[in-house]
Amino acid sequence: MSRKVVRSSKFRHVFGQAVKADQCYDDIRISQMTWDSNFCSVNPKFVAMIVDASGGGAFMVLPLSKTGRIDMSYPTVCGHTGPVLDIEFCPHNDNIIASGSEDCSVMIWEIPEGGLTSPLTDPVVKLEGHSKRVGILSWHPTAHNVLMSAGCDNVVILWNVARGDAVVRIDTVHTDLIYSACWNRDGSWILTSCKDKTLRVLDPRKGTVLYKNFGEALTLQELDTSSGVLLPFFDPDTGVVYLCGKGDSSIRYFEVTDEAPYVHYLSMYSSKESQKGMGYMPKRGLEVNKCEIARFYKLHERKCEPIVMTVPRKSDLFQEDLYPDTVGPEPSAEADEWFEGKEAPPNLISLKDGFVATTKAKEFKVHKSLLKTTTASAGNQHDSSGCVSVPQEVQSLRKEVKDLKEALEELTTRVKELESKH
């Protein structure tokens, strides 16, 4: 009598669970745009979501703790003149976020500690180089201030954000619309998928194609007949890949191994409502004492709902087999060094006592020439590298000037009304 041998895996019993209703973010008008990006980005401090906005594009940034009903008048980041298509937090500074828009521009924003108290309209840096809408953004995983953008002009640009420079422009490789683009773990390769049905592995510094189409697939996994776009999230620490179907109501997850059949179905989290987008929390933002191995932020029509993936364990001690050292927030190279060829393997951290920032978040610095009018108000706050940090005073001065202008306009209108009466 043969006995079926079950493959042993510590992730076989991973289960997904939505948080309680009071831990969701309610009454948010999620963007109605038909675009294939995540519409959401999250880190241990904030959750950001692209929202509907009249007369331009906007996204909302909330502190993680600000759950419950969000007031209609809550301030947004609203500097784009067209709808926002993609947003992504910087992995090396939790207060910096990039946004790409239908207005063909990429903007870099600095979110104040504690979140926004007034609408944010002025970006720290505006990056212009695409001739059509910008729908894909991805920060370099290990090099500081390197950002990749891809637009509907079939062009991929690598930016040195601190200088505002388009250092590498890959414009002859893709013959059609770029569907997605991502980095490998240390940022030495870029993988793109394209409407011409070709996958390409690119050398990011040279902009050349290293591999195309890869021949036969190692394995093929049939899912279903849904036409929704799959948003994949891969955890290299555990080898688990999560597939979230846009417009679908489920998250399927699989374990990827080095031996045939390579992909092993684990389970599926299902709910009643479909998802319009999905945010994925970095490892350092998880609750390790609860054996949480992933957390998603699921966007509904009018709310954002966190979903926690947990490995059931009886002990509440730190489970070393579930949490190998993971990528930390400290970059391995500066932008200039990386573009000049420096290799940048990730700096790993232990999650044994939960993530605690031991060093100050990597300060976002902008080259002097970029600041133009704001340099004067920034005073002499520059370092030996000839860079100027963007202080909070600049933001408050801009707001003060704006308020004064509005007050002056009101007074002028009042004077005219009084003059007309007499």
Side-chain angles (χ1 to χ4, degrees):
M1 194 171 105
S2 66
R3 181 182 294 174
K4 190 175 180 183
V5 178
V6 177
R7 189 183 69 90
S8 66
S9 167
K10 53 196 165 202
F11 304 110
R12 175 176 297 285
H13 302 293
V14 171
F15 68 98
Q17 196 170 24
V19 300
K20 292 176 182 173
D22 62 346
Q23 294 298 303
C24 296
Y25 308 85
D26 287 310
D27 227 14
I28 298 165
R29 292 171 300 156
I30 301 301
S31 173
Q32 298 295 313
M33 285 293 293
T34 51
W35 191 252
D36 295 340
S37 68
N38 298 352
F39 279 27
C40 180
S41 185
V42 62
N43 66 29
K45 281 187 185 177
F46 302 107
V47 55
M49 297 155 279
I50 301 175
V51 294
D52 264 342
S54 54
F59 60 95
M60 187 176 277
V61 181
L62 300 171
L64 284 189
S65 57
K66 190 172 175 58
T67 53
R69 185 180 171 277
I70 306 301
D71 196 272
M72 289 278 283
S73 61
Y74 194 87
T76 58
V77 181
C78 48
H80 284 286
T81 56
V84 177
L85 300 177
D86 198 13
I87 50 177
E88 186 169 316
F89 276 111
C90 174
H92 309 120
N93 184 331
D94 289 342
N95 295 66
I96 298 293
I97 188 168
S99 59
S101 165
E102 211 166 74
D103 65 13
C104 308
S105 72
V106 176
M107 294 186 181
I108 312 297
W109 310 86
E110 185 164 21
I111 309 299
E113 285 294 332
L116 298 176
T117 52
S118 60
L120 191 56
T121 54
D122 295 318
V124 181
V125 183
K126 185 175 182 181
L127 305 172
E128 295 179 295
H130 286 283
S131 59
K132 291 187 179 176
R133 57 186 179 174
V134 184
I136 300 167
L137 294 176
S138 184
W139 290 95
H140 194 287
T142 60
H144 190 220
N145 283 340
V146 176
L147 178 69
M148 167 171 62
S149 65
C152 291
D153 48 8
N154 310 342
V155 174
V156 175
I157 297 178
L158 302 190
W159 305 88
N160 181 335
V161 173
R163 298 183 180 278
D165 291 341
V167 183
V168 178
R169 186 180 175 88
I170 306 171
D171 53 7
T172 58
V173 167
H174 300 92
T175 60
D176 212 326
L177 189 66
I178 301 165
Y179 283 152
S180 64
C182 64
W183 302 91
N184 65 341
R185 190 172 163 88
D186 65 359
S188 57
W189 288 356
I190 292 171
L191 174 67
T192 64
S193 65
C194 182
K195 193 177 180 180
D196 64 9
K197 299 182 179 177
T198 304
L199 289 168
R200 294 173 175 87
V201 175
L202 308 174
D203 180 321
R205 297 181 185 98
K206 296 176 183 172
T208 53
V209 178
L210 298 172
Y211 306 101
K212 253 190 195 187
N213 264 7
F214 313 104
E216 284 294 307
L218 289 175
T219 184
L220 185 65
Q221 186 88 30
E222 294 271 340
L223 293 178
D224 57 22
T225 54
S226 167
S227 59
V229 173
L230 284 174
L231 304 174
F233 299 95
F234 179 62
D235 179 0
D237 299 339
T238 59
V240 177
V241 63
Y242 304 87
L243 300 178
C244 311
K246 205 163 186 181
D248 197 354
S249 58
S250 62
I251 302 173
R252 294 175 178 82
Y253 38 107
F254 303 80
E255 190 172 354
V256 180
T257 59
D258 292 333
E259 298 169 359
Y262 306 109
V263 174
H264 308 271
Y265 175 75
L266 292 174
S267 189
M268 177 169 72
Y269 166 81
S270 291
S271 56
K272 290 178 183 175
E273 294 183 72
S274 62
Q275 52 233 16
K276 291 179 69 68
M278 196 69 79
Y280 180 64
M281 176 65 81
K283 255 322 184 13
R284 58 194 173 89
L286 302 180
E287 293 190 52
V288 295
N289 59 330
K290 294 181 180 176
C291 295
E292 181 185 5
I293 62 163
R295 191 190 311 153
F296 294 94
Y297 285 72
K298 174 181 173 177
L299 301 186
H300 300 247
E301 293 245 340
R302 302 281 301 186
K303 75 172 181 179
C304 173
E305 177 188 44
I307 294 162
V308 175
M309 295 285 178
T310 308
V311 176
R313 293 274 170 99
K314 289 178 181 174
S315 170
D316 58 359
L317 296 174
F318 179 71
Q319 308 290 309
E320 290 194 30
D321 60 325
L322 298 182
Y323 301 103
D325 287 357
T326 191
V327 178
E330 194 63 32
S332 308
E334 289 298 321
D336 289 336
E337 298 173 323
W338 183 79
F339 279 115
E340 285 165 10
K342 181 177 176 179
E343 293 304 317
N347 285 321
L348 302 181
I349 56 168
S350 169
L351 296 176
K352 186 160 188 176
D353 302 311
F355 171 71
V356 181
T358 50
T359 55
K360 188 177 178 292
K362 196 70 179 171
E363 194 173 10
F364 184 73
K365 294 184 176 177
V366 183
H367 199 263
K368 276 184 183 177
S369 62
L370 270 175
L371 285 175
K372 294 174 184 164
T373 55
T374 61
T375 328
S377 46
N380 294 321
Q381 295 191 16
H382 55 83
D383 61 14
S384 56
S385 65
C387 291
V388 177
S389 61
V390 181
Q392 205 63 44
E393 295 93 79
V394 175
Q395 297 282 5
S396 56
L397 280 170
R398 284 176 180 166
K399 186 178 182 304
E400 204 175 315
V401 170
K402 191 179 174 188
D403 292 344
L404 285 169
K405 280 181 180 175
E406 286 172 2
L408 186 62
E409 282 173 16
E410 281 178 26
L411 286 169
T412 307
T413 308
R414 182 87 180 120
V415 168
K416 283 180 181 174
E417 285 173 4
L418 289 168
E419 283 177 346
S420 64
K421 284 179 184 176
H422 298 290

